[in-house]
Amino acid sequence: MPPPADIVKVAIEWPGAFPKLMEIDQKKPLSSIIKEVCDGWSLANHDQYALQHADSSNFYITEKNRNEIKNGAILRLTTSPAQNAQQLHERIQSSSMDAKLEALKDLANYSRDVTFAQEFINLDGISLLTQMVESGTERYQKLQKIMKPCFGDMLSFTLTAFVELMDHGIVSWDTFSVAFIKKIASYVNKFASDISILQRSLAILESMVLNSHDLYQKVAQEITIGQLIPHLQGTDQEIQTYTIAVINALFLKAPDDKRQHVIRAQRAINNEMAHQLYVLQVLTFNLLEDRMMTKMDPQDQAQRDIIFELRRIAFDAESEPNNSSGSIEKRKSMYTRDYKKLGFINHVNPAMDFTQTPPGMLALDNMLYFAKHHQDAYIRIVLENSSREDKHECPFGRSSIELTKMLCEILKVGELPSETCNDFHPMFFTHDRSFEEFFCICIQLLNKTWKEMRATSEDFNKVMQVVKEQIMRALTTKPSSLDQFKSKLQNLSYTEILKIRQSERMNQEDFQSRPILELKEKIQPEILELIKQQRLNRLVEGTCFRKLNSRRRQDKFWYCRLSPNHKVLHYGDLEESPQGEVPHDSLQDKLPVADIKAVVTGKDCPHMKEKGALKQNKEVLELAFSILYDSSGQLNFIAPDKHEYCVWTDGLNALLGKDMLSDLTRNDLDTLLSMEIKLRLLDLENIQIPDAPPPIPKEPSNYDFVYDCN
């Protein structure tokens, strides 16, 4: 008979004594259980003791988290968090360097626990740490030369403890002095060779900027993007990641006129680095939103001068029109004729073409950039099309406006960055005016495709669809530079696009005759079983999930995997993202599959119903799923991407004997069914498959031809 659900069997350690095996009744107050343990070892003053997990976390057990205690857990009897905080508060002020160093090391470790953190903060511990950072370094300036390793470790542990304490969100970031900010900023330059100090300093700066507008202004005065760039050119990816996080934070909070960046991405990078680069890419392109949503004012002379400049570069490159003689009417007529050649819809007043948002004034900005920085190509395109009289001219003005709108859609200008996406394009980090250069390449592509299609004005939308396909196919290859992107487009001519479409149509050909449909129906259960086994095998390998509920973006991971016999889910926290699989024995917690009651997704998940930023993020909502077990137990997930979300929801549904309903399963089923059908029909190539089965012949007069194998 299984033990009651409220009873957990644990081992409790105490230094110098044999571990005590006991049953904990979860209905009893925690203080009563601690008293019982203390009495067993004849320890007085039980209120000065507490229980904590004996694993690497050392987290205290409280009334709030006691339900997380599992059968077979190893606990430790230790001093209470209040007493421990008091002792450490005194120890870190020791005059002995060795004692102080050891105390700071312990503080950095204990500060990860919110229970201890609350007690230490109640003792004004944060102020003590900031004072040590502000003045302590000067006190040991002379000792630094002879005790540099000790000094570096001491500062590293101090900053680590500070970061961990602040990460709990108990204390406001607005309370810190300029002196403290100056110190932290100075460490970013002074301790570039000390990875741990540099990493903590960057993390503190990021949090300051993100959590307080006042602190952003103070940090921006102390450190510039230029001072951060050298850290991106090193070899340590963790430092690069933290550096980009600070750049993103400064970028996000800065006024538009101060946003500048220089990033170069040359080699393979990890997921977190890719995410930060993706965020920077999104924030960079979002700077275009203001111009994209600004309509042109036809009465604004400065804006109209831009259109005059486009006309001048195209048609008056060698002469000044202001000096030309002739009546105003004749000049207006000439302008109207030229604006028609430039391909504007409104020939009389082309300013009206830029009143639609998007793309608004951004289209005009792109056209002027192209005309000034790629003048030969601009003049060639305009003159080439304006001299044609066969209705095949490509309208430069209209094309530029529609192309700018399309590029904004492709790059999702104006949308907020996702918490989980890491889809960035390296080529956009190779030029300071990457969007404008992107436009210049694409407008030349559009003109080339127009000629290849022999298009007329009636074919405008068809040309735009082909151009979009060319751009999207080239972008999926992730070219590392704009030149590489241009060469990819060279290989994606209109003829090549037609070939690709034809090939894809043939591959996706759906056989609808009855025999084929019957064969599909027969094969489908085998394919579904194959997909099910693949999903379960992936669950056995396991996945690393990131915890996203922290106020500061910091690597906090946990891992979950299915046991090889498909009966237990093993899971546990990790200090860092793993390289490869994590063995079962290193994951502390487990959940029997038989205990799972249901799997819920999206807004039905418990962690999506809570108040906070996660609820507001649509992309995170689409990656959320939860396992519900027992009466109120839950295991909450946010998948790293859509693929992992589908794999896990499919696998969990398969374990529960339910249908796998994800988009991934549907795609896999279609692909594998199509392949299997084609393989089985290879022998029937060029043979017409009838819609109806052939008639059954009459029975033979005798069966003498039958051979009995037995």
Side-chain angles (χ1 to χ4, degrees):
M1 183 176 173
D6 293 320
I7 302 294
V8 286
K9 295 184 177 182
V10 299
I12 300 178
E13 298 176 341
W14 173 251
F18 286 108
K20 185 189 293 289
L21 298 176
M22 69 178 293
E23 293 183 350
I24 291 180
D25 185 350
Q26 292 285 41
K27 290 181 180 177
K28 287 176 65 176
L30 196 57
S31 56
S32 301
I33 296 168
I34 293 170
K35 184 177 187 305
E36 186 181 333
V37 174
C38 289
D39 290 345
W41 275 312
S42 305
L43 298 171
N45 303 321
H46 70 274
D47 55 337
Q48 295 181 9
Y49 294 92
L51 291 173
Q52 66 180 178
H53 291 280
D55 56 20
S56 59
S57 72
N58 293 326
F59 285 176
Y60 280 102
I61 293 163
T62 64
E63 291 291 354
K64 285 184 180 178
N65 65 21
R66 62 184 296 179
N67 289 329
E68 296 174 12
I69 303 173
K70 307 293 181 186
N71 272 313
I74 301 175
L75 310 181
R76 181 187 298 119
L77 185 68
T78 185
T79 53
S80 68
Q83 193 170 356
N84 194 9
Q86 182 65 51
Q87 290 171 358
L88 277 172
H89 192 273
E90 294 168 2
R91 285 172 57 202
I92 62 174
Q93 299 180 71
S94 169
S95 56
S96 164
M97 289 284 281
D98 290 338
K100 193 184 191 80
L101 180 64
E102 197 61 34
L104 286 167
K105 184 177 179 181
D106 290 344
L107 179 62
N109 184 41
Y110 278 112
S111 295
R112 292 179 300 144
D113 183 0
V114 66
T115 310
F116 170 85
Q118 185 67 69
E119 296 293 344
F120 188 77
I121 289 169
N122 289 345
L123 296 171
D124 212 15
I126 294 279
S127 296
L128 179 59
L129 291 179
T130 55
Q131 286 168 18
M132 289 170 67
V133 170
E134 288 172 22
S135 60
T137 51
E138 287 156 17
R139 189 184 306 167
Y140 301 112
Q141 202 86 42
K142 294 176 182 177
L143 293 170
Q144 186 177 348
K145 292 180 181 177
I146 56 172
M147 301 185 71
K148 194 167 185 178
C150 176
F151 172 81
D153 289 345
M154 188 179 295
L155 184 54
S156 174
F157 289 136
T158 305
L159 295 178
T160 302
F162 177 83
V163 168
E164 295 292 352
L165 290 167
M166 290 303 297
D167 200 31
H168 297 297
I170 299 168
V171 178
S172 168
W173 282 93
D174 287 310
T175 56
F176 298 107
S177 67
V178 175
F180 180 70
I181 296 167
K182 283 179 180 287
K183 279 290 179 188
I184 298 299
S186 72
Y187 296 156
V188 171
N189 299 318
K190 193 185 297 182
F191 292 96
S193 59
D194 192 317
I195 300 299
S196 60
I197 293 176
L198 180 57
Q199 184 196 80
R200 271 68 167 185
S201 300
L202 289 167
I204 292 168
L205 289 177
E206 182 202 1
S207 294
M208 283 179 170
V209 172
L210 288 177
N211 289 290
S212 168
H213 180 69
D214 289 342
L215 286 185
Y216 154 70
Q217 294 177 319
K218 292 172 184 173
V219 171
Q221 289 172 357
E222 295 301 324
I223 198 154
T224 64
I225 303 292
Q227 290 170 298
L228 294 169
I229 295 301
H231 299 310
L232 293 173
Q233 297 165 347
T235 56
D236 191 292
Q237 281 207 6
E238 201 166 2
I239 293 301
Q240 290 175 325
T241 301
Y242 275 89
T243 303
I244 293 177
V246 176
I247 292 173
N248 284 345
L250 288 167
F251 205 82
L252 192 62
K253 295 290 184 179
D256 289 352
D257 59 339
K258 290 189 177 180
R259 296 185 181 183
Q260 298 175 359
H261 71 281
V262 182
I263 302 290
R264 299 289 184 267
Q266 297 288 346
R267 57 194 176 86
I269 55 179
N270 61 32
N271 285 340
E272 178 59 17
M273 177 81 161
H275 173 80
Q276 293 293 352
L277 285 168
Y278 152 78
V279 172
L280 183 56
Q281 175 184 291
V282 172
L283 295 174
T284 304
F285 287 138
N286 280 358
L287 291 177
L288 305 170
E289 185 182 12
D290 185 47
R291 293 294 281 174
M292 181 182 80
M293 300 308 293
T294 300
K295 294 181 181 180
M296 184 169 184
D297 180 1
Q299 307 305 317
D300 188 320
Q301 187 59 44
Q303 294 180 0
R304 291 173 64 187
D305 285 345
I306 298 175
I307 298 176
F308 290 149
E309 182 69 4
L310 288 174
R311 181 202 158 278
R312 187 195 66 77
I313 293 171
F315 303 114
D316 294 320
E318 295 178 359
S319 63
E320 278 296 327
N322 295 333
N323 299 331
S324 62
S325 60
S327 67
I328 295 175
E329 289 301 321
K330 187 179 278 188
R331 195 180 298 177
K332 277 186 178 178
S333 173
M334 181 179 67
Y335 283 173
T336 300
R337 186 191 68 230
D338 289 348
Y339 290 146
K340 184 177 181 180
K341 288 180 180 180
L342 275 169
F344 289 113
I345 297 172
N346 193 315
H347 309 149
V348 178
N349 186 5
M352 300 304 294
D353 287 15
F354 300 97
T355 55
Q356 180 191 356
T357 57
M361 288 294 290
L362 185 60
L364 189 57
D365 294 344
N366 283 340
M367 292 166 72
L368 184 63
Y369 182 90
F370 181 49
K372 285 191 168 183
H373 293 82
H374 300 271
Q375 195 170 108
D376 291 344
Y378 167 69
I379 293 173
R380 189 185 71 249
I381 287 175
V382 172
L383 296 184
E384 187 179 90
N385 287 289
S386 64
S387 61
R388 298 186 71 151
E389 295 180 0
D390 55 2
K391 297 184 180 179
H392 289 289
E393 67 276 2
C394 175
F396 173 74
R398 183 184 175 193
S399 300
S400 297
I401 291 167
E402 289 301 318
L403 179 64
T404 300
K405 184 178 178 181
M406 180 203 293
L407 297 183
C408 289
E409 290 171 358
I410 290 172
L411 298 175
K412 300 180 179 178
V413 174
E415 293 187 19
L416 290 174
S418 158
E419 288 279 0
T420 54
C421 184
N422 54 16
D423 183 25
F424 79 99
H425 295 282
M427 71 178 193
F428 291 126
F429 296 95
T430 61
H431 200 286
D432 293 336
R433 303 290 294 274
S434 59
F435 183 79
E436 290 88 343
E437 288 293 326
F438 185 42
F439 168 84
C440 294
I441 293 169
C442 293
I443 193 66
Q444 294 177 75
L445 167 73
L446 193 155
N447 188 61
K448 173 173 169 282
T449 302
W450 186 282
K451 289 190 288 186
E452 290 172 349
M453 292 177 68
R454 298 277 299 161
T456 63
S457 56
E458 287 79 15
D459 301 316
F460 188 86
N461 290 335
K462 289 181 184 175
V463 176
M464 295 305 293
Q465 287 171 6
V466 173
V467 169
K468 184 172 185 178
E469 187 173 343
Q470 290 170 313
I471 294 169
M472 294 298 288
R473 288 185 184 277
L475 284 177
T476 54
T477 64
K478 293 290 168 73
S480 59
S481 67
L482 290 163
D483 286 338
Q484 201 177 93
F485 173 67
K486 195 187 294 185
S487 66
K488 297 279 183 188
L489 291 175
Q490 291 292 333
N491 299 326
L492 284 169
S493 63
Y494 176 56
T495 308
E496 186 62 27
I497 290 292
L498 288 179
K499 286 180 184 176
I500 293 170
R501 286 178 175 180
Q502 179 66 19
S503 172
E504 288 178 350
R505 261 198 302 272
M506 290 177 66
N507 290 335
Q508 292 167 2
E509 192 175 8
D510 190 18
F511 302 102
Q512 294 298 330
S513 62
R514 203 173 83 189
I516 300 297
L517 292 174
E518 288 177 0
L519 181 58
K520 275 188 173 182
E521 202 173 317
K522 183 181 176 184
I523 296 171
Q524 187 161 319
E526 300 172 27
I527 302 294
L528 281 171
E529 183 60 29
L530 186 66
I531 294 171
K532 175 183 171 182
Q533 289 307 317
Q534 188 272 339
R535 300 293 192 263
L536 293 176
N537 288 342
R538 278 289 292 105
L539 263 62
V540 170
E541 289 175 17
T543 301
C544 179
F545 297 92
R546 178 182 281 115
K547 293 184 175 181
L548 288 176
N549 57 349
S550 163
R551 289 180 63 199
R552 176 176 54 81
R553 185 175 184 87
Q554 185 189 20
D555 288 352
K556 291 198 173 182
F557 303 97
W558 69 288
Y559 199 89
C560 187
R561 63 180 298 180
L562 181 65
S563 62
N565 64 4
H566 299 173
K567 292 189 176 180
V568 179
L569 280 171
H570 296 267
Y571 62 95
D573 291 340
L574 299 176
E575 291 298 321
E576 57 186 4
S577 183
Q579 304 297 319
E581 291 183 25
V582 175
H584 295 98
D585 51 13
S586 67
L587 301 172
Q588 308 91 347
D589 303 307
K590 58 184 180 179
L591 171 64
V593 171
D595 290 352
I596 298 176
K597 304 297 182 192
V599 175
V600 293
T601 60
K603 61 184 178 183
D604 295 326
C605 298
H607 57 317
M608 292 294 107
K609 292 178 181 177
E610 298 168 2
K611 290 183 179 178
L614 293 183
K615 187 178 177 184
Q616 309 301 324
N617 192 315
K618 183 183 173 186
E619 291 205 32
V620 171
L621 198 66
E622 290 174 353
L623 298 174
F625 62 98
S626 297
I627 295 173
L628 308 182
Y629 60 93
D630 295 339
S631 56
S632 59
Q634 62 198 42
L635 202 56
N636 297 320
F637 299 77
I638 294 175
D641 52 50
K642 192 68 178 176
H643 183 271
E644 286 297 319
Y645 169 84
C646 292
V647 166
W648 272 85
T649 51
D650 283 344
L652 292 170
N653 280 323
L655 284 174
L656 299 179
K658 296 180 180 179
D659 292 337
M660 299 180 292
L661 302 172
S662 75
D663 294 340
L664 185 63
T665 291
R666 206 158 39 243
N667 293 338
D668 287 352
L669 181 61
D670 290 344
T671 303
L672 294 172
L673 262 180
S674 175
M675 288 172 62
E676 186 66 22
I677 291 285
K678 287 175 182 176
L679 285 171
R680 295 198 183 196
L681 296 179
L682 277 177
D683 294 337
L684 298 177
E685 196 168 350
N686 299 322
I687 296 175
Q688 186 67 35
I689 299 172
D691 290 334
I696 299 173
K698 292 179 182 179
E699 287 192 23
S701 57
N702 64 68
Y703 291 90
D704 293 344
F705 58 84
V706 176
Y707 176 73
D708 188 355
C709 297
N710 298 322

